[in-house]
Amino acid sequence: ASTVEQLGGPLKAKLIVPSAPLTPEDVVGVLKGRGWEAEIVKQADVSALIPTSSDGLMKCVDGRPSDHSAMDGPKALGGVYSIATNRGVTDIEGLKKICEEVKKCGSVPSCHGDEHAHPAPMGCGFFKLWSQSKLDGIPAPKFDSEEGQKAILEAGGVYECLAGSHEEKVVYINFVEGTTLAPNGDDQAFVVDAWMTGTYNLDVPKYLVAAASTVEQLGGPLKAKLIVPSAPLTPEDVVGVL
């Protein structure tokens, strides 16, 4: 301040502060504005939540059963394609670097296809929308589904094949760090582990809008449950229990 004053500078200041982080309540409001049903549920009320592990795939949010067993990794849009689309990465070398980053952060990079698509890797609806420039504000990749699959495998990742048809009934948006839900073929759900946006420093609004748009364009259920951490036990809670 003294320097500006002595140099005859303007005695006018604007203090720039961080914007408030997006809250689950904000997300509920946005989804309802898009015509969704949305509610917040506590971690303690979702018995299917499991801890993630370093052996788990960073796999797609798709709720169909997989031919791979490592379902205890974070669920993200198209697997590693979620990071690429959020950052505007459209080339193979950039995709391989993301795979290395995912491994360093403690997950196995992956992509998927299914039994019906030709070629099979186009069975990922998120990649299909991305490749067809149907995700607003996200440039299409400069590679096709088979080239993406090959790059991910070369970078030490995994390709999984999903079985059956889409029968998801709900979209879980999970804010409980280090947890996920495994696919259940008998009770399908889209699972978006929103906490991983912090792990990879992603643009959260852009990511969640892409998730909503993907579900909408794929004809999925416009019904979301946002999972938030349960409040820690307090001394007063203990008194009440005793």
Side-chain angles (χ1 to χ4, degrees):
S2 177
T3 299
V4 173
E5 292 162 0
Q6 293 185 61
L7 294 178
L11 305 185
K12 180 180 180 181
K14 292 185 178 182
L15 283 70
I16 304 172
V17 299
S19 299
L22 197 69
T23 67
E25 290 78 10
D26 294 330
V27 177
V28 167
V30 171
L31 290 175
K32 287 185 174 179
R34 297 175 73 102
W36 289 53
E37 296 177 34
E39 63 174 323
I40 294 174
V41 297
K42 297 291 186 182
Q43 172 185 3
D45 297 324
V46 185
S47 60
L49 271 182
I50 58 173
T52 55
S53 82
S54 58
D55 295 324
L57 304 185
M58 173 185 275
K59 68 171 262 84
C60 189
V61 303
D62 195 312
R64 292 176 291 173
S66 171
D67 65 348
H68 202 283
S69 60
M71 297 292 99
D72 54 349
K75 310 302 181 291
L77 302 168
V80 293
Y81 294 141
S82 60
I83 301 174
T85 52
N86 197 264
R87 295 177 180 171
V89 173
T90 59
D91 63 287
I92 287 293
E93 287 308 308
L95 180 62
K96 288 183 176 180
K97 288 179 181 177
I98 288 172
C99 289
E100 294 301 324
E101 179 183 359
V102 169
K103 289 189 288 184
K104 287 179 182 178
C105 287
S107 296
V108 179
S110 81
C111 65
H112 81 87
D114 65 21
E115 304 168 318
H116 317 297
H118 301 285
M122 279 297 276
C124 175
F126 181 74
F127 183 86
K128 185 174 183 179
L129 293 173
W130 182 27
S131 66
Q132 295 175 345
S133 299
K134 291 185 177 180
L135 299 171
D136 288 346
I138 297 176
K142 298 173 183 175
F143 53 86
D144 62 29
S145 63
E146 292 176 299
E147 291 168 334
Q149 174 192 15
K150 180 182 177 182
I152 291 168
L153 292 173
E154 288 176 350
V158 166
Y159 172 80
E160 56 168 347
C161 181
L162 306 187
S165 57
H166 283 286
E167 297 177 4
E168 291 88 354
K169 302 178 183 69
V170 67
V171 180
Y172 286 107
I173 302 176
N174 179 26
F175 290 88
V176 183
E177 187 170 356
T179 69
T180 190
L181 293 97
N184 181 347
D186 297 323
D187 188 18
Q188 288 187 27
F190 288 108
V191 179
V192 180
D193 286 321
W195 58 265
M196 57 79 66
T197 58
T199 304
Y200 296 97
N201 195 27
L202 303 184
D203 181 327
V204 179
K206 180 179 180 180
Y207 185 80
L208 293 179
V209 167
S213 177
T214 298
V215 173
E216 292 163 1
Q217 293 189 67
L218 295 179
L222 303 188
K223 180 179 181 181
K225 292 188 177 184
L226 285 70
I227 308 171
V228 301
S230 298
L233 197 68
T234 67
E236 290 76 14
D237 294 329
V238 176
V239 169
V241 170
L242 294 175

